[in-house]
Amino acid sequence: LVAAYLPGFLRQPAGSAIGSKGLLAVAAACAGERAAAPTGRYLKEYYGTRAAQGKALIAMLAWIEHPTATQLMLSIGSRFRTKSFQEEATRQAEALADRKGWTLAELADRTMPSAGFDETGVLELSYGERAFVAKLLPDFKIELFNPDGKKIANLPEPRLDDDAERAKDAKKALSNAKKEIKNIVALQTDRLYEALCTERDWPAEDWARYLNRHPVVRRLCQRLIWCVVEDEKTLATFRPLDDGS
């Protein structure tokens, strides 16, 4: 019985920290993207028993200046199982969009994280004097290349002439990128599906800038057929290619 029940019991928070929710303002200012993952886990686990704490965490997300936090808040507002969390996330997202002078749709488009990859799908991982390169593939897997352009399986241990601290940061950046790519693909696939269902349209300039030139989302766009619409008439259909045409 102890083996069966103790692990679950130990996962339950002791008492309530809602009286100290003001400390979340410090987290919003300092934690950055690191706050998103534990917040998401907390909301999924305690959505049925910790409503006040969950709403406080959602409000915290709205004040974190990082795309990962903003996208988590938007996803809660559109598809979380608890209605009160959905409403709070939508309210906070609308307030954030208003502060920036954007619509909710523009906020969602303009805060999509890139996991550190540039427009061409390349992430540079510096060891100091030498740099390795991570390339994002069409199937969202990541290939690594050494400074000579040779494909490698993993980042090596730093040499004596490398910067050990930067090498450590490079390995951490690669690990975080792999995790973030999975989240980005899942969230943005759902967003594009919702856009299809609601027949959403984009100004051509916004579509090109925020979707077709995004290092991750552009690969999702290449799997879809798009329409050129003017005066509510479809003028053409097309599919963007990986060379940008």
Side-chain angles (χ1 to χ4, degrees), residues 9-244:
F9 181 80
L10 291 176
R11 285 198 301 271
Q12 296 299 318
S16 173
I18 196 64
S20 302
K21 66 181 181 180
L23 285 173
L24 292 177
V26 180
C30 301
E33 72 276 13
R34 292 173 296 170
T39 296
R41 289 195 298 269
Y42 186 96
L43 295 175
K44 286 181 180 180
E45 184 164 0
Y46 299 113
Y47 67 92
T49 58
R50 301 254 157 180
Q53 289 88 341
K55 290 179 181 179
L57 287 169
I58 292 169
M60 175 196 72
L61 292 174
W63 291 94
I64 295 176
E65 289 289 337
H66 193 277
T68 303
T70 303
Q71 290 292 316
L72 173 59
M73 178 179 63
L74 290 169
S75 69
I76 294 168
S78 64
R79 62 184 71 89
F80 200 81
R81 68 184 72 186
T82 305
K83 185 178 180 181
S84 63
F85 282 9
Q86 279 191 348
E87 292 173 345
E88 178 66 17
T90 299
R91 188 176 71 82
Q92 293 292 345
E94 288 173 345
L96 175 57
D98 187 62
R99 291 196 296 271
K100 292 183 175 291
W102 300 338
T103 65
L104 266 179
E106 289 172 338
L107 175 68
D109 289 341
R110 298 175 186 186
T111 58
M112 291 187 290
S114 65
F117 289 89
D118 65 17
E119 188 177 308
T120 62
V122 171
L123 171 63
E124 186 175 286
L125 303 163
S126 175
Y127 272 40
E129 290 296 323
R130 55 183 186 143
F132 297 83
V133 169
K135 292 184 179 180
L136 186 62
L137 302 179
D139 60 358
F140 303 109
K141 293 180 180 179
I142 296 174
E143 282 188 345
L144 285 174
F145 297 87
N146 66 15
D148 298 324
K150 183 180 178 181
K151 185 178 175 181
I152 56 176
N154 298 291
L155 287 176
E157 292 300 317
R159 301 185 309 206
L160 291 178
D161 57 345
D162 289 327
D163 186 322
E165 196 61 34
R166 294 183 72 175
K168 181 180 177 181
D169 291 342
K171 290 187 176 185
K172 184 177 180 181
L174 179 61
S175 176
N176 290 340
K178 290 179 179 178
K179 295 175 184 177
E180 196 170 353
I181 285 294
K182 293 180 180 179
N183 292 331
I184 295 171
V185 171
L187 287 175
Q188 301 311 319
T189 298
D190 288 342
R191 279 195 64 227
L192 288 172
Y193 177 74
E194 291 168 4
L196 172 69
C197 293
T198 58
E199 297 185 6
R200 183 188 168 189
D201 56 24
W202 283 262
E205 185 178 342
D206 284 359
W207 179 87
R209 179 177 181 182
Y210 299 113
L211 275 70
N212 198 37
R213 291 206 291 266
H214 189 281
V216 183
V217 178
R218 66 182 298 182
R219 288 161 169 77
L220 294 174
C221 291
Q222 291 163 15
R223 302 177 180 185
L224 303 173
I225 302 298
W226 298 82
C227 299
V228 180
V229 178
E230 189 174 319
D231 296 328
E232 299 184 358
K233 294 181 180 179
T234 299
L235 304 182
T237 57
F238 70 96
R239 184 175 70 85
L241 304 180
D242 56 6
D243 63 359

